[in-house]
Amino acid sequence: MVDHPYIVLVRPQMGQNIGAAARAMLNFGLTRMRIVDPRDGWPNQSAVAMASGAGRVLDDAQIAPDVAGALGDCAFVFATTARSRDLTKDIYSPEEAMRLAVQKIDAGQKVAVMFGPERAGLENEDLVQANALISVPVNPDYASLNLAQCVLLVGYEWMRQRSHVTPVVHEMAGSDWAEVQEVDHLMRHYEDRLEDAGFFWPEHKSASMKLNLRNMWSRMPMTRADVQMFHGILRQMVRWKERDR
């Protein structure tokens, strides 16, 4: 069973764009490329040079004389386009399209995504051979996407749907998050030294100033290394002040 979509480049005009598309594909684990009637013939050395490490995608690429030949064994086909061309078809965002692609591929179907030539995109004769369209939300005043950029966007959404993507990774750099008691000790250290320095003035505002200061410390997500650094800063400032007396 093919476990990811076929990427079908229809009448691509520049070998460099084919190579860049191969790089974009391999970035997101897509390795099955089909090329329909490439303008400059095949194989193409410009494509190989641009692929830069993704040559195996080009080595395995299948060449077809027409769109029907490239899509013949597929059960569901998406076509990327900036406009619907007055055709009655469902238009998906890249995210929803790849969510549907996952479902169909997991059910044993072959899925393809078509991308049009650089100059004007897919023609109506191409689009009618697709089951649905993919439209990328872009600036309406400049909707043209580079071929490889469009492949990259679809590949990214494929990876997001197929793999678990961790939204945020906290790199601790060898430290751990500070415990509540460690932050509390830091609060007291600053309160005591600021009290000595006469910071909490006037007296009737002292309690609210201390409360605000403690609230500030508790809002800060600090590591143990951060806490130690803040202790060290204050100690050094106190030593420096005492040397000047």
Side-chain angles (χ1 to χ4, degrees):
M1 184 178 70
V2 177
D3 62 356
H4 60 262
Y6 288 93
I7 300 299
V8 181
L9 308 184
V10 178
R11 299 182 298 278
Q13 296 167 301
M14 298 178 63
Q16 292 92 331
N17 285 333
I18 300 173
R23 290 184 65 177
M25 288 172 60
L26 198 55
N27 282 150
F28 299 104
L30 300 171
T31 61
R32 294 179 174 87
M33 175 185 283
R34 291 178 175 178
I35 308 173
V36 177
D37 189 24
R39 184 191 67 180
D40 296 337
W42 196 260
N44 186 296
Q45 287 307 307
S46 295
V48 173
M50 191 66 184
S52 184
R56 66 187 181 94
V57 175
L58 301 180
D59 292 341
D60 295 337
Q62 299 173 341
I63 309 301
D66 52 35
V67 171
L71 304 177
D73 62 344
C74 295
F76 197 91
V77 178
F78 292 100
T80 59
T81 181
R83 49 198 182 279
S84 63
R85 312 272 188 145
D86 298 321
L87 296 174
T88 303
K89 283 188 184 293
D90 291 332
I91 304 174
Y92 288 78
S93 68
E95 179 181 13
E96 285 301 315
M98 292 302 98
R99 182 175 290 122
L100 180 59
V102 167
Q103 295 172 5
K104 290 186 174 297
I105 288 172
D106 285 348
Q109 299 180 30
K110 287 185 179 179
V111 173
V113 184
M114 281 197 295
F115 300 82
E118 297 90 322
R119 185 180 62 84
L122 294 166
E123 302 292 339
N124 277 358
E125 291 74 13
D126 307 316
L127 296 176
V128 296
Q129 299 183 67
N131 302 98
L133 306 181
I134 297 175
S135 183
V136 178
V138 294
N139 176 7
D141 295 327
Y142 189 63
S144 176
L145 282 173
N146 172 272
L147 174 59
Q149 290 175 331
C150 195
V151 172
L152 186 81
L153 282 168
V154 171
Y156 170 71
E157 292 298 344
W158 166 259
M159 179 67 78
R160 284 215 312 149
Q161 298 303 320
R162 178 56 89 186
S163 307
H164 174 70
V165 179
T166 304
V168 179
V169 176
H170 297 290
E171 177 53 61
M172 301 301 291
S175 186
D176 295 315
W177 291 115
E179 296 178 354
V180 171
Q181 60 186 357
E182 293 170 316
V183 177
D184 183 70
H185 180 56
L186 180 64
M187 293 178 183
R188 294 178 185 279
H189 187 188
Y190 270 77
E191 275 188 19
D192 292 344
R193 293 298 174 263
L194 291 172
E195 188 82 66
D196 294 342
F199 175 78
F200 299 112
W201 186 88
E203 180 65 29
H204 69 277
K205 292 186 177 181
S206 175
S208 64
M209 292 173 71
K210 290 179 179 179
L211 187 65
N212 288 337
L213 185 62
R214 283 177 168 261
N215 190 47
M216 181 195 75
W217 289 119
S218 66
R219 290 200 315 268
M220 295 172 62
M222 289 190 291
T223 66
R224 286 178 169 173
D226 296 331
V227 169
Q228 292 305 313
M229 181 181 68
F230 276 115
H231 278 303
I233 289 171
L234 189 54
R235 291 190 189 103
Q236 188 60 29
M237 292 177 68
V238 171
R239 292 192 191 104
W240 169 76
K241 182 63 177 176
E242 291 176 345
R243 281 201 302 267
D244 284 354
R245 289 179 180 176

